[in-house]
Amino acid sequence: MTNPILTTHQLSKTFSTAGVQKHVLRNLDMEIRAGDYTVVMGASGSGKSTLLYALSGMDRPTLGDVTFAGQHLASMSESALARFRRNHCGFVFQQVYLLDTMSIMDNVLAAGLLVSNDRKALAARAAELFDQVKVADDTRTKFPAQVSGGEAQRAGVVRALINSPTVLFADEPTGSLDQTSGTAVLDVLTDVHTSGQTVVMVTHDLKSARRGERVLYLRDGAIVGDLDLGPFTSDDDTDRNDTLRGFLVEMGW
Amino acid sequence: MLATWRLVLANLRKGPWQTAGLAGFVTLAALMANLGLMFTMVYPHALDDQARAAGTPWLSVFEPDGSYSDAQVSWLLDQPGVDAVEHADVLVPDKTTVRFHDGPEDKVQAFVADADAASGREAVRLHDGGKPLTDDGVWLPYLYEVVYGWQVGDEFTFDFGSSVVRLQVCGFTDEIPFGSYGNVWHRFYVASSTYGQLADELPRWAHLKVYTDTPERADTLMYEVLDQFDGVNVFSYTPTKEDRLFMARVLATVILAFSIVVVAVSLLVVRFRVVASIEESMSNIGTLKALGYTSGQIAGSLLGQFGLVTLVGSAAGVAGSYAVLPLVAGRLEAQSAVVWTPGFAPLPALAAVAVVAGTALAVTGVVVVRIRRLGALTSLRTGLTVHSFKHNRFPLDRTAGPLTWLLAAKSAVAAKAQTVTIGLVVAGVTVMGTVTAATYENIGADPANLVDVIGVELPDVHADGDPEAIAELQVDLASRDGVRALFAYTDGIPLPDSSWPVVSTDDFSVTEGHMLCQGRWPQHANEVAVNWQLARTNGRGIGDTWGFIIDGTVQEYLVTGLIQTVESTQTVALTTDGVRRLLPDHQHDMLYVYLDDPADADAVAADIRRGWADRGVHASTDAKTMTARMAPFGPVVSTVTAVVLAVSVTIIVLVVSLVMSMAVRRSRRRFGVQKAVGFTNRQLVAQTTATYLPTVAVGAAVGSTVGCYAFPPFMDALFRTMDIYTTAMRTSAGTTAVLVVALVALGLAAALAATARIRRITPYSLVTE
């Protein structure tokens, strides 16, 4: 068992809309272990994405705290949180969110230059990552509107990895992709995890979920299930698939 | 129609602050336009109305009583367009000295009228607060209250020859003084008893008041009268009017020029807003088209939206101008004595609204045409893109520099239209700001400068009298401490067979005024400098010869330079030796004295009077008198400067705020992404500000440079109406630099204020959006 790098303590998040309060996360205690590939699942509105963004310091909890390597995110200033995100977190969004006024390469370097001024080294690492995710040379100089959804998402993964983050967060990374593109993105995430990257992924897709080593299930803002799947080998691993399906059935998915 | 109207209302509800900002622009544009139009179209008529109410004749003929005859009246009545001729006795001193209240003395051409005998059309019309005339009382022109500073109840004195008349001010008349710059005739109304006493000492003249159907008829008739009658002074109303309205014309020109800039700015902003509105509503446009709305209906909704905003804004601007008008009119009244209470004038108002709202609507119409080219599916799927995909400007892997500035440069290039808009707006506003600041610096800060720069030779002390005494005085003063320079001078030598007033001195290079406008002064006896208009009229220029006829012989001179004189197109300049070729016995009868400390002028003048009065020498403090005369110009120019600068500041704040807030609103997602990947608020604020600040700086620099180059010809063009070819007005690098820095700082402050909302954008909003 590896050490936890992210820990939540009584984490709660409440939204108020028109005077009505909705408790999305309720007193949640959990850990994300270094090197794990953790998948968070649950029904729509169960708090999956809210948990992801609270863990990554993109949103502040209403109550409770998130601890990263001994640092309390709740007590950090906005600037400190921004520095935390640039140094330790990488994000892959469902909608990709590449900046449409920049080329694919510049989208990646804009994130990289926040951490390092060594343009040459950054460009080399970006090229290496682009090769790894199979984004062709001529695609890298194009603008987001000129590339396919799959290419854009893989570029999003490169942007997330450019600063060698401690944790790679992915929020429904295949949600807006076709099957082929989705599988390619999942392969990339699996590859980087295999090389030691900690990954936390939110999904409601069974095919995506079985890439993880650990599956957490959220219901009404609380973790009601925690499944250890072990390392992913292939999509054809029927035992693994059955175990996951059984877990989810048990959770009422 | 109803469906389109509902879309208009929906559009208006969508962005109330943007709508209000746009309306603010249009309001400012219409306000300035109506101000300029009111001073151009209505104000001159106020003077006409004042003249009519006072029964002012369009033509006044003053002639020594001995030469007046009934035949002259009959001749005048026979002239076309002459309605009536009235006659009044007046007393005309040779030259009158009056004083500013608690200030320097001034030489004017006054004439005294019997108030009890005043009858006919030109009834005495007293300004507010006037009292009945007492035996020792006087009614003065309103000019003496607002410019000279006298009040009802003051003891007013005027001198003629060696006599001093002391009278109590009982009121001020609303009449327009006759004549124009340098030759204005002031009428003092006194009671019959005083008039009778003064008649024993002063020459009696006849004042023939010629009422023509139009002022233009009087202008023509004036020259015929000069041909027909000998030894008369004739004044038509038009030059008087031009003189009174000069400052108003300068102001109207400045305001109109500025309003053109503001209208142009508002059109840029309207275009920018319409384009932004289409881009922001792209998916809505697609949805509406999918639902069956026609392009015409959708375009109509935008036309309705912006038409309504510009119409309401321009109407508000016209209404707002009526709040500013009394302020400027009041300042002008203190300078021109023209009484004007601005009332609603429909024609300028309609013109202002039509120009501002009409052009804004036209711009909107041109822009919304693009909606026709948008298919429903195109709108739904992609919409318009505001940036070019052809070039990746400033690629981050190959461009050196701080990340913030690189990203700012990318944004500026990606949003070329709004970058150019801001640049043009700031440049336009800075041009006018520079011109206005320079106007203030040249005229407003020290109105006496106006004299220095427009061709008047103005000594600290001016002595005149018997030429021999003047020559001795010159020797005496030359050795006096504190006298910086002095020279003998002659202004207006009467030459036989020539109607050109001649100015002369030994050496023109010692003069300090700005009379010479091209070439050089005459240095030798066979050289002459000629008024630029006189030279032009006669088809002569520098290098040509100029002939004077003396005793039937033509004496030729070489034209070495062109000179200018306020409201005079005839003057020529000769050296003393040059004059003596025509008048061998000529000697100068004036002495111009310049002091180390101009504040000593009173003491020097008093000394001259004490020591030389018995030799017929009179002394006056010309520079000080002119400073007092010009003083009212200061508040007028200051007021207009304040209005223009206030509008400039408002425009820059509005433009930067409007564009920045729109940029922030449209970039919410981008900022959210950047925050998610680790950008801090400070970085994003710096990036956004850096996107526009260079544009503001470049716009201000370009605008100020253009303003600096445009100012002198702009002022020259204005002063040509006063017969001044070129003024010495210049812009100051220091003031311009301060203005540019202030505008850039203002732009920065507005940008920072507008980008404050970046702090409220959270990366999490990406998910919840």
Side-chain angles (χ1 to χ4, degrees):
Chain A
M1 178 79 67
T2 54
N3 291 328
I5 54 169
L6 278 167
T7 309
T8 68
H9 308 279
Q10 299 290 297
L11 188 68
S12 299
K13 182 74 182 179
T14 303
F15 292 106
S16 293
T17 308
V20 178
Q21 288 199 326
K22 185 181 179 189
H23 303 287
V24 181
L25 298 176
R26 298 168 186 266
N27 302 324
L28 202 141
D29 292 315
M30 60 162 288
E31 294 171 349
I32 299 293
R33 297 188 293 266
D36 264 10
Y37 191 145
T38 306
V39 173
V40 182
M41 298 191 74
S44 293
S46 60
K48 305 184 296 292
S49 292
T50 305
L51 173 61
L52 189 79
Y53 290 107
L55 288 174
S56 60
M58 277 175 58
D59 194 22
R60 291 181 184 276
T62 311
L63 287 171
D65 194 7
V66 176
T67 309
F68 171 82
Q71 293 176 287
H72 296 279
L73 301 194
S75 61
M76 286 185 183
S77 66
E78 284 298 320
S79 297
L81 279 175
R83 284 191 290 276
F84 163 70
R85 287 194 295 270
R86 75 171 69 145
N87 289 318
H88 300 291
C89 305
F91 290 90
V92 180
F93 302 98
Q94 180 180 0
Q95 302 296 336
V96 189
Y97 295 137
L98 292 174
L99 302 178
D100 59 0
T101 55
M102 292 189 200
S103 69
I104 297 291
M105 175 61 97
D106 280 357
N107 264 279
V108 173
L109 294 183
L113 286 167
L114 282 173
V115 175
S116 166
N117 285 325
D118 187 345
R119 280 179 165 70
K120 197 176 280 184
L122 278 174
R125 172 158 173 75
E128 183 187 325
L129 289 168
F130 277 128
D131 289 342
Q132 193 178 342
V133 301
K134 298 182 175 59
V135 171
D137 282 353
D138 61 340
T139 304
R140 299 170 197 176
T141 56
K142 289 180 178 172
F143 285 85
Q146 295 171 299
V147 303
S148 71
E151 287 174 318
Q153 189 59 289
R154 278 179 277 149
V157 173
V158 173
R159 180 179 63 183
L161 293 171
I162 188 70
N163 291 330
S164 304
T166 312
V167 184
L168 176 65
F169 295 95
D171 185 10
E172 307 273 13
T174 61
S176 59
L177 302 178
D178 59 41
Q179 191 172 340
T180 308
S181 299
T183 302
V185 169
L186 290 175
D187 288 344
V188 170
L189 294 180
T190 302
D191 288 347
V192 296
H193 167 63
T194 306
S195 58
Q197 176 69 54
T198 305
V199 178
V200 180
M201 178 173 69
V202 164
T203 185
H204 59 259
D205 173 42
L206 192 62
K207 197 178 169 192
S208 300
R210 62 187 180 214
R211 298 294 184 111
E213 293 172 325
R214 182 189 179 200
V215 181
L216 300 174
Y217 196 89
L218 256 69
R219 186 187 300 139
D220 296 331
I223 294 174
V224 294
D226 188 343
L227 174 67
D228 192 348
L229 270 177
F232 172 80
T233 50
S234 81
D235 280 330
D236 300 330
D237 184 344
T238 50
D239 288 348
R240 180 186 183 86
N241 293 348
D242 290 344
T243 304
L244 176 60
R245 191 172 289 116
F247 169 75
L248 292 175
V249 169
E250 188 184 329
M251 293 292 109
W253 189 65
Chain B
M1 189 66 186
L2 189 60
T4 305
W5 181 242
R6 287 172 67 181
L7 287 178
V8 169
L9 294 179
N11 291 344
L12 287 171
R13 279 195 297 268
K14 193 176 162 193
W17 287 111
Q18 277 73 29
T19 302
L22 184 65
F25 264 106
V26 176
T27 300
L28 282 176
L31 187 150
M32 296 304 293
N34 197 50
L35 271 184
L37 289 172
M38 286 293 281
F39 280 109
T40 308
M41 297 168 67
V42 180
Y43 186 72
H45 295 297
L47 184 65
D48 295 346
D49 294 342
Q50 189 178 339
R52 282 196 189 92
T56 305
W58 298 141
L59 189 72
S60 275
V61 182
F62 290 88
E63 54 184 325
D65 197 36
S67 60
Y68 164 66
S69 69
D70 289 339
Q72 289 176 331
V73 174
S74 299
W75 181 87
L76 286 167
L77 283 169
D78 286 343
Q79 300 309 304
V82 174
D83 295 334
V85 177
E86 292 180 358
H87 164 256
D89 273 343
V90 292
L91 307 175
V92 183
D94 182 30
K95 205 71 178 175
T96 311
T97 303
V98 296
R99 284 164 192 80
F100 288 84
H101 188 257
D102 296 331
E105 61 182 33
D106 191 11
K107 280 185 178 174
V108 300
Q109 181 58 63
F111 65 103
V112 181
D114 182 350
D116 298 325
S119 61
R121 296 192 191 190
E122 200 177 21
V124 178
R125 188 164 173 253
L126 280 184
H127 196 72
D128 293 343
K131 291 199 274 192
L133 204 56
T134 56
D135 281 348
D136 63 346
V138 62
W139 285 333
L140 300 168
Y142 182 46
L143 200 67
Y144 280 72
E145 181 177 12
V146 292
V147 176
Y148 287 81
W150 294 98
Q151 297 292 319
V152 171
D154 286 342
E155 188 189 71
F156 173 77
T157 61
F158 65 92
D159 310 353
F160 54 89
S162 56
S163 302
V164 178
V165 181
R166 295 179 195 284
L167 297 167
Q168 190 187 45
V169 179
C170 291
F172 301 94
T173 61
D174 274 341
E175 69 178 30
I176 316 290
F178 303 108
S180 53
Y181 178 84
N183 189 26
V184 183
W185 283 42
H186 300 175
R187 175 160 41 192
F188 301 161
Y189 278 106
V190 297
S192 283
S193 53
T194 306
Y195 187 85
Q197 290 166 17
L198 290 172
D200 295 336
E201 300 181 59
L202 292 172
R204 188 187 297 267
W205 283 45
H207 178 196
L208 294 179
K209 306 167 186 177
V210 184
Y211 292 93
T212 56
D213 49 0
T214 64
E216 293 75 25
R217 184 89 71 178
D219 296 339
T220 313
L221 184 58
M222 181 176 76
Y223 292 103
E224 292 173 27
V225 170
L226 283 169
D227 279 347
Q228 284 286 326
F229 302 174
D230 290 330
V232 295
N233 286 279
V234 189
F235 301 100
S236 73
Y237 171 71
T238 304
T240 299
K241 179 179 175 180
E242 292 300 312
D243 188 64
R244 296 286 102 193
L245 295 182
F246 172 70
M247 198 63 211
R249 198 165 50 232
V250 171
L251 293 185
T253 308
V254 169
I255 292 172
L256 266 181
F258 187 62
S259 72
I260 290 169
V261 172
V262 180
V263 169
V265 164
S266 70
L267 293 183
L268 281 172
V269 174
V270 166
R271 186 190 174 281
F272 175 69
R273 274 295 301 141
V274 178
V275 170
S277 181
I278 292 173
E279 287 168 355
E280 288 169 9
S281 310
M282 192 56 64
S283 60
N284 288 349
I285 291 171
T287 306
L288 289 171
K289 286 198 170 184
L291 288 173
Y293 278 81
T294 64
S295 295
Q297 283 175 309
I298 299 169
S301 72
L302 286 170
L303 273 173
Q305 175 193 353
F306 287 99
L308 203 60
V309 170
T310 51
L311 204 60
V312 170
S314 52
V318 168
S321 68
Y322 283 92
V324 183
L325 270 172
L327 180 71
V328 183
R331 298 289 196 190
L332 269 177
E333 183 177 325
Q335 177 270 324
S336 65
V338 176
V339 183
W340 183 40
T341 308
F344 178 70
L347 206 59
L350 278 174
V353 171
V355 167
V356 176
T359 50
L361 210 57
V363 166
T364 307
V366 169
V367 177
V368 298
V369 164
R370 68 176 62 180
I371 288 176
R372 289 186 179 279
R373 298 197 296 267
L374 290 172
L377 204 54
T378 312
S379 306
L380 280 170
R381 278 183 175 168
T382 58
L384 283 182
T385 49
V386 294
H387 48 273
S388 166
F389 291 128
K390 291 175 184 170
H391 302 289
N392 178 29
R393 306 286 184 192
F394 311 108
L396 296 180
D397 54 338
R398 296 194 299 276
T399 313
L403 180 62
T404 298
W405 284 96
L406 291 179
L407 295 181
K410 277 177 172 289
S411 298
V413 172
K416 282 193 293 282
Q418 63 192 36
T419 306
V420 171
T421 299
I422 290 182
L424 287 175
V425 166
V426 173
V429 170
T430 313
V431 168
M432 284 314 299
T434 307
V435 168
T436 309
T439 306
Y440 175 77
E441 201 168 29
N442 280 273
I443 304 174
D446 184 1
N449 286 345
L450 186 61
V451 181
D452 291 339
V453 298
I454 60 170
V456 176
E457 187 63 35
L458 200 65
D460 293 320
V461 177
H462 166 194
D464 59 73
D466 174 65
E468 280 184 23
I470 289 294
E472 290 175 35
L473 178 62
Q474 183 173 8
V475 173
D476 184 44
L477 287 179
S479 57
R480 179 180 175 135
D481 287 343
V483 174
R484 178 167 56 81
L486 79 169
F487 54 83
Y489 195 74
T490 306
D491 187 358
I493 306 166
L495 293 177
D497 301 326
S498 166
S499 58
W500 309 314
V502 178
V503 295
S504 174
T505 188
D506 292 345
D507 178 6
F508 280 103
S509 66
V510 298
T511 58
E512 300 185 1
H514 188 62
M515 210 165 163
L516 186 74
C517 56
Q518 274 186 30
R520 65 165 175 81
W521 284 112
Q523 295 170 351
H524 305 289
N526 64 341
E527 294 178 344
V528 64
V530 182
N531 180 279
W532 65 279
Q533 283 173 302
L534 182 63
R536 187 175 287 180
T537 308
N538 287 274
R540 306 291 171 82
I542 294 170
D544 292 333
T545 55
W546 191 268
F548 292 89
I549 302 171
I550 291 290
D551 298 331
T553 308
V554 177
Q555 297 275 0
E556 295 214 316
Y557 290 74
L558 176 70
V559 179
T560 60
L562 300 180
I563 57 174
Q564 55 188 3
T565 318
V566 179
E567 290 183 348
S568 169
T569 60
Q570 301 292 308
T571 311
V572 297
L574 295 170
T575 62
T576 309
D577 290 341
V579 174
R580 285 178 183 155
R581 284 179 63 200
L582 306 168
L583 302 170
D585 299 329
H586 173 72
Q587 290 188 15
H588 298 300
D589 57 0
M590 294 177 181
L591 190 64
Y592 280 15
V593 185
Y594 299 81
L595 305 175
D596 290 329
D597 183 0
D600 294 338
D602 282 332
V604 173
D607 285 351
I608 293 172
R609 284 186 206 113
R610 257 194 309 274
W612 297 81
D614 58 342
R615 301 279 305 274
V617 175
H618 181 269
S620 58
T621 54
D622 283 12
K624 204 171 172 186
T625 300
M626 195 55 78
T627 301
R629 272 191 193 178
M630 294 293 163
F633 281 81
V636 180
V637 177
S638 301
T639 302
V640 172
T641 304
V643 169
V644 169
L645 290 181
V647 173
S648 301
V649 165
T650 310
I651 286 175
I652 287 186
V653 169
L654 274 176
V655 166
V656 174
S657 303
L658 189 72
V659 173
M660 295 292 276
S661 60
M662 276 179 59
V664 171
R665 197 155 52 89
R666 291 164 71 179
S667 305
R668 282 178 61 83
R669 172 169 292 184
R670 179 160 61 89
F671 290 137
V673 173
Q674 287 192 267
K675 283 194 173 187
V677 299
F679 281 81
T680 62
N681 281 320
R682 183 174 294 194
Q683 283 176 306
L684 294 180
V685 168
Q687 177 190 318
T688 309
T689 307
T691 303
Y692 299 104
L693 197 62
T695 310
V696 172
V698 169
V702 170
S704 60
T705 306
V706 172
C708 284
Y709 279 103
F711 177 70
F714 177 73
M715 295 312 284
D716 288 353
L718 271 178
F719 277 85
R720 293 269 161 85
T721 58
M722 281 185 78
D723 304 320
I724 295 298
Y725 182 76
T726 178
T727 68
M729 294 194 196
R730 295 291 175 264
T731 48
S732 134
T735 306
T736 308
V738 167
L739 185 76
V740 169
V741 170
L743 290 179
V744 173
L746 186 71
L748 178 64
L752 287 174
T755 53
R757 67 183 62 184
I758 287 178
R759 297 180 187 283
R760 298 200 292 271
I761 298 172
T762 66
Y764 187 64
S765 61
L766 284 172
V767 186
T768 55
E769 232 178 16

